[in-house]
Amino acid sequence: MASTFNGENYNVNLWEAHKNMLTQPLKDNDIEVYTIIKKENNRQKTGLELIASENFASRAVLEALGSCLNNKYSEGFPGQRYYGGTQFVDELEILCQKRALQVYGLNPENWGVNVQPYSGSPANFAVYTALVEPHGRIMGLDLPDGGHLTHGFMTEKKKVSATSIFFESMPYKVNPDTGYIDYDKLEENARLFHPKLIIAGISCYSRNLDYARMRKIADDNGAYLMADMAHISGLVAAGVVPSPFEHCHVVTTTTHKTLRGCRAGMIFYRKGVRSVDSKTGKETMYNLESLINSAVFPGLQGGPHNHAIAGIAVALKQALTPEFKIYQQQVIANSRALAAAMMELGYHIVTGGSDNHLILVDLRNKGTHGGRAEKVLEACSIACNKNTCPGDKSALRPSGLRLGTPALTSRGLLEKDFHKVAHFIHEGIELTLQIQKDLGPQVTMKEFMEKLSGDVKYQGLIKALRDKVESFAAGFPLPGIPDF
Ligand SMILES: *Cc1c(COP(=O)(O)O)cnc(C)c1O
């Protein structure tokens, strides 16, 4: 059947099909993507998730994320938008800001928050853009020592992170013998380097940070102190680790790690009176608010992801409850139980334990390294990641495994369950050693992988462990939207 549209023939059936396309469920509309998501859902359900940066968002968070808020453009900030129709997203963003300050016990007279960063990395880059001039100096914990890429990572050969390209980066490190941050060396180097900004934040460090000491070092050098609490923001919200707010000028975070929201970021900044002149009584005010807000928009980003802001707001409401606090207490209790069980099995834990949600297992005394163990564990449905340990000679051959408890704690595992998890990991590592022994000491990763996937004997052993792991995991329901 033909009709006309702008003078041209068009097909009414096609027009009807187009309408249909907009209302079909994913399963009917795109079976390929649906099937992939279904497989991923099954992987999450049957496996043991020990990646320290991951978590399972609640059903309410995922519903907010999958809502019509995805459709709305609202460049600008509440009350000052470049678009119409923003009355409800204004309401949402203001609510999200209010909850964010409430969760961290901050007085709105002294602290403000930007909830628009698309994720943790853009949040950090926005702070550097706001506070550090091009090629200005920053100091962050080195990546191999437990810092994050965005804290200025570079190697001798290459400036890897854009942070090290557009700014001058000098890392600080952990003491290779103890695994603890070497604050004396940071102090000494800061005195020589005169950074504009010092970053207190970790992606793989199992101990609390000494924010007071770092603030003193920052003050002695006229630097800002920024905490990047991406990994621990849920623990801070529940008050189970020290809060960085007392000592920092700026605090950034992701919202999807221990905070258990959707993937996004936030930046908290001080405002109000910065200092009072003791002689004249003249007040100097913070100017961070306008610098940071304008770095986020229009400096680096366009329209805020309103569906993500809704997801953050929902997660923050949950973070204000007593049940969230008990969850975070359990995250730490589980981390300690996992560390204790691994040590009982003869493993070396960097720093000898954990104050937070993660541990770093040093495999050097076992005669293997993280890369191989990670692959064997993956084949057995245990997800974790290889990580460098203090004193590692090569970043390409990290000798440790980073294990985190937030995700499995969201599935309801308790200390006794983590004891079992430790034994599964141990079995996986023993299997790694056995394959390695069969192949001889000089084996390459490629040969190792061929053996792992091609040898019937190992296929059988891996399947036996995987079956045990999967039936154990099946006992703990997956949070989120049921039966995707
Ligand atoms: C995860 C992480 C980030 C980056 O977050 P993305 O959302 O992955 O960009 C930044 N800083 C630290 C310390 C992190 O652990």
Side-chain angles (χ1 to χ4, degrees), residues 53 118-124 128 146-151 199-204 226 228-232 252-257 263-265 402:
S53 48
Y118 298 146
S119 212
S121 306
N124 286 349
Y128 309 147
H148 189 259
L149 274 170
T150 57
H151 298 175
I199 304 154
I202 58 95
S203 295
C204 186
M226 170 185 123
D228 175 355
M229 61 170 185
H231 259 262
I232 56 164
T252 61
T253 187
T254 57
T255 53
H256 49 276
K257 297 180 183 176
R263 306 192 89 84
R402 183 183 70 160

Side-chain angles (χ1 to χ4, degrees), residues 89 92-93 96 115-116 262 264 304-314:
V89 291
L92 173 69
E93 190 166 338
C96 187
V115 297
Q116 294 190 4
C262 59
H305 290 184
N306 290 301
H307 57 310
I309 292 174
I312 303 173
V314 172

Side-chain angles (χ1 to χ4, degrees), residues 355-377:
D355 295 329
N356 58 22
H357 63 300
L358 68 85
I359 64 172
L360 177 57
V361 186
D362 184 341
L363 295 172
R364 280 176 289 198
N365 67 340
K366 293 280 173 180
T368 187
H369 51 87
R372 289 177 192 168
E374 179 198 289
K375 290 296 176 197
V376 174
L377 291 170

Side-chain angles (χ1 to χ4, degrees), residues 352-412:
S354 177
D355 295 329
N356 58 22
H357 63 300
L358 68 85
I359 64 172
L360 177 57
V361 186
D362 184 341
L363 295 172
R364 280 176 289 198
N365 67 340
K366 293 280 173 180
T368 187
H369 51 87
R372 289 177 192 168
E374 179 198 289
K375 290 296 176 197
V376 174
L377 291 170
E378 184 183 33
C380 303
S381 292
I382 298 172
C384 60
N385 63 281
K386 59 181 178 292
N387 214 101
T388 43
C389 289
D392 259 352
K393 294 286 174 290
S394 162
L396 297 175
R397 212 174 196 261
S399 49
L401 282 179
R402 183 183 70 160
L403 306 173
T405 57
L408 288 183
T409 307
S410 290
R411 289 185 74 170

Side-chain angles (χ1 to χ4, degrees), residues 243-454:
S243 167
F245 286 94
E246 188 189 338
H247 300 288
C248 295
H249 299 100
V250 176
V251 178
T252 61
T253 187
T254 57
T255 53
H256 49 276
K257 297 180 183 176
T258 49
L259 193 57
R260 206 165 57 184
C262 59
R263 306 192 89 84
M266 297 193 283
I267 305 171
F268 296 84
Y269 47 82
R270 280 188 188 264
K271 59 188 218 185
V273 179
R274 178 168 197 173
S275 60
V276 184
D277 189 295
S278 55
K279 287 196 194 106
T280 62
K282 194 171 164 282
E283 290 181 340
T284 310
M285 308 298 280
Y286 276 108
N287 62 347
L288 300 173
E289 179 164 24
S290 62
L291 290 173
I292 285 172
N293 282 341
S294 62
V296 174
F297 176 85
L300 291 164
Q301 297 192 167
H305 290 184
N306 290 301
H307 57 310
I309 292 174
I312 303 173
V314 172
L316 289 169
K317 179 165 188 226
Q318 295 185 352
L320 285 162
T321 62
E323 49 269 40
F324 187 77
K325 186 175 168 102
I326 205 169
Y327 160 68
Q328 299 293 354
Q329 286 167 335
Q330 193 61 49
V331 165
I332 293 188
N334 286 344
S335 173
R336 294 195 171 145
L338 181 62
M342 292 302 290
M343 287 191 283
E344 236 170 68
L345 290 163
Y347 291 90
H348 175 65
I349 305 298
V350 175
T351 75
S354 177
D355 295 329
N356 58 22
H357 63 300
L358 68 85
I359 64 172
L360 177 57
V361 186
D362 184 341
L363 295 172
R364 280 176 289 198
N365 67 340
K366 293 280 173 180
T368 187
H369 51 87
R372 289 177 192 168
E374 179 198 289
K375 290 296 176 197
V376 174
L377 291 170
E378 184 183 33
C380 303
S381 292
I382 298 172
C384 60
N385 63 281
K386 59 181 178 292
N387 214 101
T388 43
C389 289
D392 259 352
K393 294 286 174 290
S394 162
L396 297 175
R397 212 174 196 261
S399 49
L401 282 179
R402 183 183 70 160
L403 306 173
T405 57
L408 288 183
T409 307
S410 290
R411 289 185 74 170
L413 275 74
L414 300 173
E415 288 99 319
K416 63 178 187 334
D417 306 309
F418 270 93
H419 201 266
K420 291 214 181 90
V421 171
H423 282 262
F424 291 138
I425 295 168
H426 176 56
E427 282 187 51
I429 293 171
E430 292 280 293
L431 201 51
T432 312
L433 294 174
Q434 205 180 323
I435 302 175
Q436 214 173 272
K437 202 165 146 218
D438 274 9
L439 286 169
Q442 297 303 334
V443 60
T444 65
M445 191 68 190
K446 186 161 170 281
E447 290 164 332
F448 184 86
M449 289 306 291
E450 280 164 9
K451 195 79 175 169
L452 177 62
S453 54

Side-chain angles (χ1 to χ4, degrees), residues 115-167:
V115 297
Q116 294 190 4
Y118 298 146
S119 212
S121 306
N124 286 349
F125 206 80
V127 174
Y128 309 147
T129 303
L131 304 185
V132 187
E133 71 288 356
H135 293 285
R137 295 172 181 183
I138 61 160
M139 293 183 84
L141 182 61
D142 210 1
L143 179 77
D145 295 53
H148 189 259
L149 274 170
T150 57
H151 298 175
F153 183 57
M154 54 197 256
T155 66
E156 288 107 68
K157 296 207 184 79
K158 193 165 189 269
K159 294 188 168 183
V160 180
S161 167
T163 310
S164 66
I165 299 174
F166 298 114
F167 305 96

